[in-house]
Structures are given as C-alpha cells and as structure tokens.
Amino acid sequence: MTKKLMVGKVAVGGGAPVSIQSMCNTKTDDVAATVAQIHALEDAGCEIIRVAVPDEDAAKAVDKIKEQIAIPLIADIHFNYKLALMCAERGIDALRINPGNIGGEEKVKAVADICRQKNIPIRIGVNGGSLEKELRAKYGGVTAEALVESAMGHVRLLNRFDFDDICISVKCSDVPLTMRAYTLLSQQTDYPLHLGVTEAGTPSMGMVKSAMGIGGLLCMGIGDTIRVTLTADPVEEIYAAKKILRAAGLRKEGVNLIACPTCGRTRIDLIPMAEEVERRLMNCTKNITVAVMGCAVNGPGEAAAADVGIAGGKGEGLIFRKGEILYKVPQERLVDALMEEIEKL
Ligand code: SF4
C-alpha cells in the first residue's frame, strides 16, 4: 500500500479512493474565468484542480481563487521557487514542482521547509518530453528506467531536507512506456502515484490512450490519483476519468448505460438519443442500469436486466422497467420521460 497524504481535504494514497484531477486552461490571474471553470469542473465531478503559476500575478491570484472554490487547489510551478513560496503563503493545498529544477539546495530547502510547516504536499512531475539531458544520454533516450531515476533523484532532494509528503508522476505520451515507468516506479517507492498519459490528444484518441495507460495501471493496482489529458474542454477530462474508474471497477456509483448496436429493426434515431441519455446521466450517482434500445420487439426483453429503459417504435417509444412495459410516449418526449422514471428510482 502507498503512503497517504492529504491534498486539502482529499486523501491520496494509503487505500483512499482514486481521486480525479484536472487542470484549468484559463489564465490563472483571470480569477473570474478560472473560478468559473473550476465550478464547472466541480459540478462534473472533479475532486482536485491544478492551475499553472507561471508568474507573480498568477501566484497572487491563489488566495482569491481558493476562497471561491470547494475543491483543493494545486499550483503547477516550473523552475521558480519564489512562486512556490508565494503560493504556500497564500494557502495553496499542494504544489507540483520538481526540486531538481529550481536552482540549488538552498532553494529546495526553503520550499521543503515552508511546505513541511504548512502540511503542503509536493508532486514531483517527471515528463518524458522534458527529461534531463544526462539521463537521456545515459539510457540512450527516454526509457522507463530513465524516468524513474529522474523521479527518485527529485525525491532524494526533498528527503534530504526532511520532506516526505510526496506524490510522483512519470508521464509520457507513449502508452507502453508510461505503463512500464509507473510499474517500475511502484516497485521502488511507496509514495502515492499520480497517473496520466501526456499529450493524449483529441477526445477520441486521447480517451483510448488514457483508458489503456491509466486504466491498465489501475487494473494492476497501481495509481492513487488520475488526470486524463485531452485536447478539449477540461470537463471532458472529468467525464473520461469517471468512465475509466468505472471500467476499472474502482467506482460503483453512477449509471451503467447499455444501448443496443441498432439493426434493421431499429425504428428510431437511436444513436443521438443514446448520446443524449449518456450526457444527461453523466452526474447521476444512482447505482442503476439504464437501457436505450432500438425496437419494441426485442428491446425490453434483451434489456430485461435494466432497471429502466426506452425502446423505440415508429414515431413513439416505450418505457420499460425490468423488462416490463410501462407506457408509450411520443418520440420527442422519450428521453424526458426516461429521466422522469429515473428520478423516481
Ligand atoms: S433491440 Fe431491436 S433494434 Fe436493437 S439490436 Fe436488438 S433487435 Fe435490433
């Protein structure tokens, strides 16, 4: 089991539920836009949020953002230890910073000291794309061993200053390499691991890469918190993360949506209907199975195990529960009627 740390009120590691993170793509010093995006992410199910802190204006926004949001806030900092100190003074819940890159032991000590005093964990975020030149040369490129050696080097720096509240990530855009690196890392450390596949891409390909990389590792028992990276609205990352956690068997709450593949018997425009149902149930936490079926002949029977479902007819559809037909509804009211039935469950 990994060690447990607290990012604000959210436990990470030590058997705590795997938490879902995302990162804002607003300008952090635009407090109104950043807070609005965080609220949308909170509503979608985001549990920890990170913002980029590239300069002092961004660092100065930390306390203003924090007082308006409900989930823990992480500052993502590259190279500049002063920004880390500023964020720590302004109530940040965690930092993502690589101590080996901030320019010397005195600076690492200053960051470690303030974070220890204020119980602020640090995530060491090693990234295949920015791996140290020496390690690339030593291993002949970006390898799992090189990524892990980089991460453990940063860990030792923090440990030297008596700092132990650490989370680690070793992300790459290459899925098998990411998986090898995390597997190796999990054999060498019991610090909690933050999983992700970087630059995963647009939602369709990014989802596949993340489901394989993050989901595969989770199925092996590796990983304590996850961030799906998509070239899309960050809300999509949260929905993707939830799906991965459900598919990995780590989250039970939420709707299991089943939909028929459609066939020559389909008498209704089923695909957009199934998509709408999925979208509208994304935040539903009821532990139920909902079916969206194409025809009344076989639909209710094929989906007899569903708690509730719809089956399409010609211009109208059926609402059924556990295979039993309840009533008919005009096609345009079908999804609304389904939602009303789900409300009653
Ligand atoms: S439920 Fe009906 S429409 Fe859907 S695949 Fe089965 S037979 Fe075809």
Side-chain angles (χ1 to χ4, degrees):
M1 177 131 19
T2 53
K3 288 184 183 175
K4 180 163 126 183
L5 53 78
M6 296 302 295
V7 178
K9 62 185 181 189
V10 178
V12 174
V18 175
S19 46
I20 298 175
Q21 312 203 9
S22 185
M23 185 165 181
C24 288
N25 60 9
T26 51
K27 271 194 92 222
T28 304
D29 58 334
D30 183 346
V31 174
T34 302
V35 166
Q37 188 168 62
I38 295 173
H39 287 166
L41 289 161
E42 282 175 2
D43 288 347
C46 181
E47 293 157 321
I48 299 172
I49 185 68
R50 181 161 46 116
V51 291
V53 177
D55 52 32
E56 291 198 0
D57 285 342
K60 284 180 192 156
V62 160
D63 44 350
K64 295 179 207 135
I65 294 168
K66 257 213 69 104
E67 65 198 25
Q68 298 178 64
I69 64 172
I71 55 176
L73 185 67
I74 301 182
D76 191 291
I77 297 167
H78 291 269
F79 313 121
N80 189 333
Y81 86 111
K82 280 198 179 136
L83 297 177
L85 302 183
M86 283 178 74
C87 291
E89 292 293 353
R90 283 168 171 77
I92 201 75
D93 293 299
L95 294 176
R96 184 262 168 140
I97 190 165
N98 289 348
N101 302 345
I102 62 179
E105 301 218 338
E106 278 309 301
K107 293 174 182 173
V108 178
K109 181 175 185 309
V111 173
D113 284 348
I114 195 164
C115 287
R116 192 180 334 93
Q117 282 156 24
K118 295 184 179 287
N119 292 322
I120 298 170
I122 294 177
R123 171 162 67 92
I124 291 165
V126 170
N127 203 310
S130 55
L131 188 67
E132 295 94 321
K133 266 197 235 116
E134 310 79 64
L135 287 173
R136 273 176 206 257
K138 177 175 171 187
Y139 287 96
V142 179
T143 65
E145 290 73 16
L147 291 161
V148 171
E149 186 169 327
S150 172
M152 296 312 285
H154 293 296
V155 167
R156 274 194 299 279
L157 257 180
L158 287 177
N159 287 166
R160 196 177 303 161
F161 298 106
D162 197 21
F163 191 85
D164 198 40
D165 215 4
I166 297 169
C167 182
I168 310 176
S169 63
V170 280
K171 301 183 187 180
C172 305
S173 56
D174 179 294
V175 174
L177 177 57
T178 302
M179 293 182 77
R180 280 200 301 279
Y182 276 104
T183 307
L184 190 63
L185 185 60
S186 74
Q187 291 159 0
Q188 294 194 14
T189 182
D190 57 3
Y191 288 122
L193 302 185
H194 163 126
L195 302 186
V197 176
T198 52
E199 298 107 27
T202 56
S204 62
M205 195 57 199
M207 186 67 209
V208 172
K209 286 188 188 174
S210 299
M212 288 176 65
I214 297 173
L217 287 163
L218 290 172
C219 288
M220 290 154 62
I222 297 170
D224 302 283
T225 182
I226 67 171
R227 192 244 169 145
V228 174
T229 309
L230 296 177
T231 310
D233 182 331
V235 166
E236 295 298 323
E237 299 184 350
I238 304 303
Y239 292 153
K242 283 168 135 178
K243 288 177 187 163
I244 291 170
L245 289 179
R246 267 185 220 147
L250 293 173
R251 293 246 174 144
K252 303 286 183 229
E253 74 272 19
V255 174
N256 174 31
L257 180 67
I258 56 176
C260 84
T262 72
C263 75
R265 284 199 190 83
T266 312
R267 291 284 170 269
I268 203 162
D269 195 7
L270 192 77
I271 295 168
M273 217 175 253
E275 282 168 354
E276 185 186 347
V277 170
E278 181 180 57
R279 205 169 45 248
R280 288 175 66 171
L281 291 177
M282 199 58 87
N283 291 335
C284 176
T285 53
K286 290 184 179 175
N287 199 353
I288 53 172
T289 297
V290 174
V292 178
M293 308 299 282
C295 75
V297 183
N298 292 336
E302 283 181 21
D307 296 285
V308 62
I310 52 179
K314 211 174 175 185
E316 61 181 16
L318 302 171
I319 298 280
F320 60 89
R321 210 187 268 180
K322 296 268 183 207
E324 192 188 319
I325 293 168
L326 298 183
Y327 50 86
K328 283 185 184 174
V329 190
Q331 181 173 325
E332 57 281 4
R333 275 263 315 133
L334 203 47
V335 175
D336 287 340
L338 177 66
M339 295 299 145
E340 285 159 21
E341 286 302 319
I342 291 167
E343 277 287 300
K344 293 184 205 160
L345 292 174

